């Protein structure tokens, strides 16, 4: 049974909905407004959400909802693939799955319009 979690909002992106399953999987939707400073330099006339911003959205959610301490840090990002451009105001569907065998390891994927945009593995301490 999924539990609806607190919706977080950051000045440059918004979490629209967020649920965590009993197994610890997190599913949420987020969007980055066209006014986000990330779009200023990436790229004038052709704005895209940079990969580091995508990782930041995932990391913020892991920190807030996976029981990490305030001083938790990313130690590694593995198998990272960017497959599709994310534009301002597009709705991103994000899934984060904790590795049941290795604490602090989370696989994630971001889809936009049903297509895979980004996926990888974040390892934390």
């Amino acid at each position: 049974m999924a539990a609806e979690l607190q919706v977080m909002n950051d000045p440059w992106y918004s979490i629209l909905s967020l649920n965590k399953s009993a197994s610890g999987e997190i599913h949420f939707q987020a969007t980055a407004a066209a006014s986000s400073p990330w779009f200023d330099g990436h790229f004038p006339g052709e704005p895209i959400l940079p990969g580091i911003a995508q990782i930041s959205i995932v990391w913020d959610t892991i920190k807030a909802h996976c029981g990490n301490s305030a001083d938790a840090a990313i130690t590694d990002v593995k198998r990272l693939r960017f497959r599709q451009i994310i534009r301002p105001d597009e709705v991103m569907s994000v899934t984060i799955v904790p590795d049941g065998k290795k604490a602090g390891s989370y696989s994630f994927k971001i889809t936009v319009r049903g297509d895979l945009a980004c996926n990888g593995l974040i390892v934390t301490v």
Side-chain angles (χ1 to χ4, degrees):
M1 180 173 187
E4 187 163 333
L5 300 177
Q6 174 185 0
V7 176
M8 302 175 302
N9 289 302
D10 187 275
W12 66 270
Y13 71 93
S14 295
I15 300 291
L16 307 174
S17 66
L18 190 146
N19 290 288
K20 185 175 181 181
S21 71
S23 65
E25 286 189 25
I26 297 174
H27 303 274
F28 67 98
Q29 291 188 316
T31 186
S35 60
S36 165
W38 285 109
F39 296 117
D40 289 346
H42 293 87
F43 294 94
E46 282 295 323
I48 64 170
L49 187 63
I52 191 66
Q54 296 170 48
I55 300 302
S56 179
I57 291 170
V58 172
W59 177 232
D60 288 350
T61 304
I62 289 170
K63 286 191 304 186
H65 297 289
C66 292
N68 291 302
S69 66
D71 61 345
I74 295 174
T75 58
D76 202 358
V77 179
K78 300 178 180 182
R79 300 190 306 266
L80 185 60
R81 302 286 185 267
F82 296 101
R83 301 175 185 267
Q84 178 178 317
I85 290 172
I86 299 174
R87 302 277 183 197
D89 300 314
E90 288 189 313
V91 175
M92 297 170 271
S93 295
V94 184
T95 300
I96 300 170
V97 180
D99 184 331
K101 296 177 184 177
K102 186 173 182 183
S105 184
Y106 305 89
S107 62
F108 69 92
K109 71 176 179 177
I110 300 173
T111 59
V112 176
R113 297 178 311 279
D115 295 322
L116 184 62
C118 175
N119 66 321
L121 180 76
I122 292 178
V123 180
T124 69
V125 292

